[in-house]
Amino acid sequence: MTVRKPAVKQIHLAALPHSHSHSRSRSSGESPVPGVDNTTVWADPRAKSQIEFASFEHLARTAERGLFDFFLLAGGLRLREHKGRIHDLDVVGHPEAITVLNALAAVTERLGLAATVDATFNEPYETARRLATLDHLSGGRAAWNVVTSADAFTGANFRRGGFLDRADRHARTAEFVAAARELWDSWTPEGVSRPFAHRGRHFDIAGEFTVPRSPQGHPVVIQAGDSAEAREFAASSADVVFARHGTLEAGRAFYADVKRRLAAYGREPEDLKIMPGVTFVLGDTAAEAQERAAEIRWQQISPQNAILTLEQIWGVDLSDHDPDGPLPAFDPDPDPHPDPEPGLMQGGVEVADPRAIAEKWRALSHEKGLSIRQTVIEATGRQSFVGTPEAVAAELEEFVRTDAADGFILAPHLTPGGLDEFVDRVVPLLQERGAYRTHYPGTTLRSHLGLADPPTEALIP
Amino acid sequence: MTSSTGRGLLHLAAAVDQPTVFDAGSYVELVRLAERGVLDFVTLGDTFARPGPDALAVLSRVAPATRRIGLVPTVTTTHTEPFHVQAAVATLDWVSRGRAGWHLDVSTTEGEARLFGRRHAAPADTLWQEAGEVADVAARLWDSWEDGAEIRDVATGRFVDRDKLHHTDFEGAAFSVKGPSIVPRPPQGHPVRVVDATEGQARRTAARYADVALLRVTSPAQAAAVRTELRGTAEEFGRDPDTLRILACLVVDLGDGEHAAEPGWGSPLFGRRRELGGGGGGPLGTAQGPRYRGGPVDLADLIAVWHQAGAVDGFHLTPVEPRRDLERLVNGTVALLQHRGLFRTFYPGSTLREHLGLGRPANQYAVTGGTS
């Protein structure tokens, strides 16, 4: 099939509501989503349920109306805790991703449906089967956002328990994805099933897969993360990579680096789409947009959240500090890992170098005369795209045109209405610029993303 | 609308299994048909041992396309993670607005064990004990969020009241789970748990944890005996036996049209021959379970007779040819039972628990004041 390439590089769009439950964000720069872990504003009167199906239906239908490539659901596996108590400040509680996506397949027709599935506390056979089933039931719209769990804290909910060190975690994930692909390849397109056997360091499994080859052959694989291992894994195995780089320059550097790595695996640059997670705030004027952005930040960082954020860096109890007062005068605990201090949040932010961050924040606070809450607001994940719909459309287009990204995963700050304004006001402008599709080119997520189907020549028995 | 004998309401369920069908449309069609028959619920079997889609996924896909009927997938407990299983079942309850059930089953073969490579096959009794632990921890996790835990209190900046969230701290023989769940308490409190109570340890697990027990028996006398035993065991476990619904499983083959498989089957008297399952019209013991072959009218008689005798609370029917037999079941058997005033003509409630006449369970942490 020959595809006529549009004159202007096309933008891909996706949505990630409820980014709060993504437990892998790090203040060290690996955060796949902006902000700490509280980007969803719940205090706004327009904020509705984060668990009722109606909310997901609204978001997914809006994303499909906006011709988005896919809708991504995050999925933490343990509620975050702070000082041994359950964290109570942010939106918490979410449905199991694959199950909701199967239900959303009934109320959408083209939208890709992406589930976050942890490779540390799941098994390849069951995961491959559930994803292949989603691909069948949705007519070829399934995707898998592969993540790894970092800690024994999460493991306390699972038979396997415990945790894996960093290197093993990545090795298990890579082997997990490879094993899943072996299972998906164990049926030929003609419906012939052959026994599989996979023996590796982490998995020794064999038998017959129960699901025939699904419409996409392999569901789309999405990979989050920015470390060297993550980049290498993305280059070798992912269809979409999901990382965040705030500036055009940082985005271009990441883009060039990851695309360059593809050749080593016999892949072409267009075989992997780079879609950073971003936020947006719109206004009728630039000033209004800035004002709204500031309001949102103020809502996201409540006084209690400001203190909590500091405690995650300082590693000690700071509940006696006034959020409207100055930063602590003393230095943070230099090494709260691997045995976290009681003050550190578990299942939340992993702080790379607390002292360096503290120094930076103190300088910022001193320079601008900011309180604790103002400093946290100023220093942590600002909204990525703020402006009039025209300005935001132009900026998004520039990122993609100049190879800082292939598209974006939008994290709205409101459920369920947070995408409406973007779809109604920005999407038409992108279309006018010729930078965005006016209809879905096909029925499968692979076709939306312009990805080839996985080869089947090797599958003929 | 209780039956004239004073027995409880008649409950009917049907299997919508279609081996090797992976297309959503045909499941939606079958479940809508069953819903037109006002059945309590549909089941969809699942196993890692032979081809078939993930059953919970299929019924999640069906949920938004239906309105009232209960949706009961099989989800096995041997190689799966209890924490994931309870989250998925709770989510099915959320997406169906209170219509989820869960048919627990175990994986006994070495072949299934090899697919996971984590443990060897184990005896069924051991696995059923483990299934009981999974049922137990699932209920605790469903309770780990009290109703109303989400407070959205702007004044104190708290989204949830952490005093209404609870660690489960479950320590079983096979696994432990810290909790709480990641999914808020589902609409039904506890989705409906279904267990096939035909054999061995499964019967004890059913008596202790099931809301619906399935029996594969060929006579009402057998059914009544097991029912008495199940209710007795349930009571020993401290349960009110009236919170357990007992359904007889029947594979139904309605392919022979209207003719009666055995003349005179409509008689309310039980012949010895029928109790032994020897007649062509009564259920016949087969490898797939008791099987009925005949017309929809005689099936209605059989259902009415067993139910009025107090042998069972209802039936779980597995059509041998789903499209054909489910259609005959709904338009023939169910219509006749309705006509005789033995079966409902509309859903009086909206949740599966309401269809089954089961209350919404109290939260064990709220009741005992368990600590977070």
mmCIF file of all heavy atoms in Angstrom, chain B residues 301-324:
data_model
loop_
_atom_site.group_PDB
_atom_site.id
_atom_site.type_symbol
_atom_site.label_atom_id
_atom_site.label_comp_id
_atom_site.label_asym_id
_atom_site.label_seq_id
_atom_site.Cartn_x
_atom_site.Cartn_y
_atom_site.Cartn_z
ATOM 1 N N ASP B 301 -41.220 -26.742 31.976
ATOM 2 C CA ASP B 301 -41.820 -27.628 32.977
ATOM 3 C C ASP B 301 -40.769 -28.132 33.953
ATOM 4 O O ASP B 301 -40.976 -28.139 35.168
ATOM 5 C CB ASP B 301 -42.490 -28.826 32.285
ATOM 6 C CG ASP B 301 -43.792 -28.424 31.611
ATOM 7 O OD1 ASP B 301 -44.331 -27.351 31.963
ATOM 8 O OD2 ASP B 301 -44.260 -29.168 30.721
ATOM 9 N N LEU B 302 -39.643 -28.570 33.394
ATOM 10 C CA LEU B 302 -38.571 -29.090 34.247
ATOM 11 C C LEU B 302 -38.126 -28.027 35.253
ATOM 12 O O LEU B 302 -38.010 -28.282 36.454
ATOM 13 C CB LEU B 302 -37.393 -29.533 33.367
ATOM 14 C CG LEU B 302 -36.214 -30.241 34.049
ATOM 15 C CD1 LEU B 302 -35.476 -31.102 33.019
ATOM 16 C CD2 LEU B 302 -35.248 -29.266 34.676
ATOM 17 N N ILE B 303 -37.904 -26.813 34.737
ATOM 18 C CA ILE B 303 -37.459 -25.714 35.605
ATOM 19 C C ILE B 303 -38.488 -25.452 36.696
ATOM 20 O O ILE B 303 -38.151 -25.335 37.884
ATOM 21 C CB ILE B 303 -37.205 -24.441 34.760
ATOM 22 C CG1 ILE B 303 -35.942 -24.634 33.913
ATOM 23 C CG2 ILE B 303 -37.092 -23.202 35.643
ATOM 24 C CD1 ILE B 303 -35.724 -23.561 32.852
ATOM 25 N N ALA B 304 -39.751 -25.403 36.295
ATOM 26 C CA ALA B 304 -40.818 -25.116 37.260
ATOM 27 C C ALA B 304 -40.893 -26.207 38.327
ATOM 28 O O ALA B 304 -41.022 -25.913 39.523
ATOM 29 C CB ALA B 304 -42.153 -24.990 36.529
ATOM 30 N N VAL B 305 -40.768 -27.434 37.914
ATOM 31 C CA VAL B 305 -40.906 -28.556 38.845
ATOM 32 C C VAL B 305 -39.766 -28.557 39.869
ATOM 33 O O VAL B 305 -39.998 -28.672 41.072
ATOM 34 C CB VAL B 305 -40.954 -29.886 38.061
ATOM 35 C CG1 VAL B 305 -40.748 -31.068 38.995
ATOM 36 C CG2 VAL B 305 -42.288 -30.014 37.328
ATOM 37 N N TRP B 306 -38.542 -28.425 39.389
ATOM 38 C CA TRP B 306 -37.398 -28.428 40.317
ATOM 39 C C TRP B 306 -37.500 -27.253 41.282
ATOM 40 O O TRP B 306 -37.242 -27.374 42.469
ATOM 41 C CB TRP B 306 -36.073 -28.326 39.560
ATOM 42 C CG TRP B 306 -35.615 -29.570 38.863
ATOM 43 C CD1 TRP B 306 -36.374 -30.440 38.141
ATOM 44 C CD2 TRP B 306 -34.269 -30.064 38.823
ATOM 45 N NE1 TRP B 306 -35.588 -31.446 37.629
ATOM 46 C CE2 TRP B 306 -34.288 -31.243 38.032
ATOM 47 C CE3 TRP B 306 -33.065 -29.634 39.353
ATOM 48 C CZ2 TRP B 306 -33.137 -31.988 37.775
ATOM 49 C CZ3 TRP B 306 -31.902 -30.372 39.088
ATOM 50 C CH2 TRP B 306 -31.961 -31.554 38.310
ATOM 51 N N HIS B 307 -37.842 -26.095 40.744
ATOM 52 C CA HIS B 307 -37.885 -24.906 41.588
ATOM 53 C C HIS B 307 -39.002 -25.004 42.617
ATOM 54 O O HIS B 307 -38.815 -24.702 43.797
ATOM 55 C CB HIS B 307 -38.065 -23.657 40.705
ATOM 56 C CG HIS B 307 -38.091 -22.391 41.506
ATOM 57 N ND1 HIS B 307 -39.215 -21.610 41.639
ATOM 58 C CD2 HIS B 307 -37.125 -21.779 42.238
ATOM 59 C CE1 HIS B 307 -38.942 -20.575 42.410
ATOM 60 N NE2 HIS B 307 -37.676 -20.645 42.785
ATOM 61 N N GLN B 308 -40.174 -25.464 42.163
ATOM 62 C CA GLN B 308 -41.301 -25.534 43.089
ATOM 63 C C GLN B 308 -41.099 -26.598 44.150
ATOM 64 O O GLN B 308 -41.650 -26.501 45.247
ATOM 65 C CB GLN B 308 -42.607 -25.740 42.319
ATOM 66 C CG GLN B 308 -42.989 -24.454 41.608
ATOM 67 C CD GLN B 308 -44.223 -24.575 40.743
ATOM 68 O OE1 GLN B 308 -44.767 -25.651 40.573
ATOM 69 N NE2 GLN B 308 -44.644 -23.456 40.189
ATOM 70 N N ALA B 309 -40.259 -27.582 43.823
ATOM 71 C CA ALA B 309 -39.950 -28.620 44.816
ATOM 72 C C ALA B 309 -38.951 -28.099 45.858
ATOM 73 O O ALA B 309 -38.632 -28.806 46.816
ATOM 74 C CB ALA B 309 -39.379 -29.854 44.119
ATOM 75 N N GLY B 310 -38.448 -26.890 45.627
ATOM 76 C CA GLY B 310 -37.484 -26.339 46.582
ATOM 77 C C GLY B 310 -36.099 -26.936 46.460
ATOM 78 O O GLY B 310 -35.282 -26.811 47.360
ATOM 79 N N ALA B 311 -35.853 -27.587 45.323
ATOM 80 C CA ALA B 311 -34.546 -28.224 45.152
ATOM 81 C C ALA B 311 -33.457 -27.204 44.827
ATOM 82 O O ALA B 311 -32.299 -27.383 45.207
ATOM 83 C CB ALA B 311 -34.617 -29.276 44.040
ATOM 84 N N VAL B 312 -33.819 -26.163 44.121
ATOM 85 C CA VAL B 312 -32.853 -25.134 43.704
ATOM 86 C C VAL B 312 -33.537 -23.766 43.676
ATOM 87 O O VAL B 312 -34.760 -23.672 43.640
ATOM 88 C CB VAL B 312 -32.278 -25.421 42.291
ATOM 89 C CG1 VAL B 312 -31.348 -26.617 42.299
ATOM 90 C CG2 VAL B 312 -33.399 -25.594 41.269
ATOM 91 N N ASP B 313 -32.684 -22.715 43.651
ATOM 92 C CA ASP B 313 -33.212 -21.355 43.514
ATOM 93 C C ASP B 313 -33.345 -20.949 42.053
ATOM 94 O O ASP B 313 -33.888 -19.894 41.748
ATOM 95 C CB ASP B 313 -32.293 -20.362 44.225
ATOM 96 C CG ASP B 313 -32.173 -20.671 45.709
ATOM 97 O OD1 ASP B 313 -33.222 -20.732 46.376
ATOM 98 O OD2 ASP B 313 -31.041 -20.882 46.187
ATOM 99 N N GLY B 314 -32.793 -21.774 41.193
ATOM 100 C CA GLY B 314 -32.887 -21.442 39.784
ATOM 101 C C GLY B 314 -31.947 -22.291 38.957
ATOM 102 O O GLY B 314 -31.431 -23.312 39.428
ATOM 103 N N PHE B 315 -31.723 -21.845 37.720
ATOM 104 C CA PHE B 315 -30.935 -22.640 36.777
ATOM 105 C C PHE B 315 -29.906 -21.796 36.052
ATOM 106 O O PHE B 315 -30.140 -20.627 35.748
ATOM 107 C CB PHE B 315 -31.859 -23.277 35.734
ATOM 108 C CG PHE B 315 -32.583 -24.481 36.255
ATOM 109 C CD1 PHE B 315 -33.730 -24.337 37.023
ATOM 110 C CD2 PHE B 315 -32.094 -25.765 36.007
ATOM 111 C CE1 PHE B 315 -34.388 -25.444 37.527
ATOM 112 C CE2 PHE B 315 -32.751 -26.879 36.514
ATOM 113 C CZ PHE B 315 -33.908 -26.724 37.278
ATOM 114 N N HIS B 316 -28.784 -22.441 35.787
ATOM 115 C CA HIS B 316 -27.774 -21.870 34.901
ATOM 116 C C HIS B 316 -27.751 -22.735 33.654
ATOM 117 O O HIS B 316 -27.428 -23.924 33.722
ATOM 118 C CB HIS B 316 -26.402 -21.870 35.573
ATOM 119 C CG HIS B 316 -25.309 -21.423 34.655
ATOM 120 N ND1 HIS B 316 -24.529 -22.304 33.945
ATOM 121 C CD2 HIS B 316 -24.894 -20.189 34.309
ATOM 122 C CE1 HIS B 316 -23.657 -21.622 33.202
ATOM 123 N NE2 HIS B 316 -23.864 -20.338 33.412
ATOM 124 N N LEU B 317 -28.120 -22.148 32.524
ATOM 125 C CA LEU B 317 -28.330 -22.924 31.304
ATOM 126 C C LEU B 317 -27.233 -22.641 30.280
ATOM 127 O O LEU B 317 -26.912 -21.476 29.996
ATOM 128 C CB LEU B 317 -29.692 -22.556 30.716
ATOM 129 C CG LEU B 317 -30.848 -22.723 31.723
ATOM 130 C CD1 LEU B 317 -32.097 -22.000 31.250
ATOM 131 C CD2 LEU B 317 -31.136 -24.200 31.970
ATOM 132 N N THR B 318 -26.668 -23.709 29.762
ATOM 133 C CA THR B 318 -25.621 -23.567 28.757
ATOM 134 C C THR B 318 -26.132 -24.093 27.427
ATOM 135 O O THR B 318 -26.273 -25.305 27.252
ATOM 136 C CB THR B 318 -24.361 -24.366 29.166
ATOM 137 O OG1 THR B 318 -23.891 -23.868 30.416
ATOM 138 C CG2 THR B 318 -23.258 -24.232 28.122
ATOM 139 N N PRO B 319 -26.467 -23.208 26.494
ATOM 140 C CA PRO B 319 -26.980 -23.668 25.198
ATOM 141 C C PRO B 319 -25.885 -24.360 24.386
ATOM 142 O O PRO B 319 -24.764 -23.860 24.339
ATOM 143 C CB PRO B 319 -27.434 -22.382 24.504
ATOM 144 C CG PRO B 319 -26.903 -21.249 25.301
ATOM 145 C CD PRO B 319 -26.359 -21.758 26.594
ATOM 146 N N VAL B 320 -26.218 -25.486 23.777
ATOM 147 C CA VAL B 320 -25.187 -26.167 22.968
ATOM 148 C C VAL B 320 -24.907 -25.398 21.685
ATOM 149 O O VAL B 320 -23.791 -25.361 21.204
ATOM 150 C CB VAL B 320 -25.541 -27.632 22.621
ATOM 151 C CG1 VAL B 320 -25.526 -28.514 23.854
ATOM 152 C CG2 VAL B 320 -26.856 -27.749 21.881
ATOM 153 N N GLU B 321 -25.940 -24.773 21.138
ATOM 154 C CA GLU B 321 -25.726 -23.870 20.003
ATOM 155 C C GLU B 321 -26.228 -22.506 20.432
ATOM 156 O O GLU B 321 -27.435 -22.250 20.419
ATOM 157 C CB GLU B 321 -26.485 -24.363 18.764
ATOM 158 C CG GLU B 321 -25.707 -25.408 18.007
ATOM 159 C CD GLU B 321 -26.295 -25.683 16.635
ATOM 160 O OE1 GLU B 321 -26.823 -24.720 16.009
ATOM 161 O OE2 GLU B 321 -26.239 -26.834 16.208
ATOM 162 N N PRO B 322 -25.305 -21.631 20.827
ATOM 163 C CA PRO B 322 -25.699 -20.406 21.524
ATOM 164 C C PRO B 322 -26.801 -19.603 20.822
ATOM 165 O O PRO B 322 -27.811 -19.276 21.450
ATOM 166 C CB PRO B 322 -24.389 -19.614 21.587
ATOM 167 C CG PRO B 322 -23.323 -20.650 21.552
ATOM 168 C CD PRO B 322 -23.853 -21.765 20.702
ATOM 169 N N ARG B 323 -26.624 -19.291 19.565
ATOM 170 C CA ARG B 323 -27.609 -18.451 18.891
ATOM 171 C C ARG B 323 -28.986 -19.113 18.864
ATOM 172 O O ARG B 323 -29.989 -18.533 19.257
ATOM 173 C CB ARG B 323 -27.190 -18.227 17.435
ATOM 174 C CG ARG B 323 -26.597 -16.900 17.175
ATOM 175 C CD ARG B 323 -25.701 -16.961 15.963
ATOM 176 N NE ARG B 323 -24.447 -16.307 16.275
ATOM 177 C CZ ARG B 323 -24.301 -14.994 16.288
ATOM 178 N NH1 ARG B 323 -25.323 -14.221 15.989
ATOM 179 N NH2 ARG B 323 -23.157 -14.448 16.596
ATOM 180 N N ARG B 324 -29.019 -20.326 18.374
ATOM 181 C CA ARG B 324 -30.287 -21.035 18.223
ATOM 182 C C ARG B 324 -30.953 -21.296 19.565
ATOM 183 O O ARG B 324 -32.115 -20.954 19.787
ATOM 184 C CB ARG B 324 -30.027 -22.375 17.508
ATOM 185 C CG ARG B 324 -31.263 -23.220 17.293
ATOM 186 C CD ARG B 324 -30.890 -24.673 16.990
ATOM 187 N NE ARG B 324 -30.333 -25.339 18.177
ATOM 188 C CZ ARG B 324 -29.762 -26.531 18.157
ATOM 189 N NH1 ARG B 324 -29.612 -27.185 17.013
ATOM 190 N NH2 ARG B 324 -29.295 -27.087 19.258
#
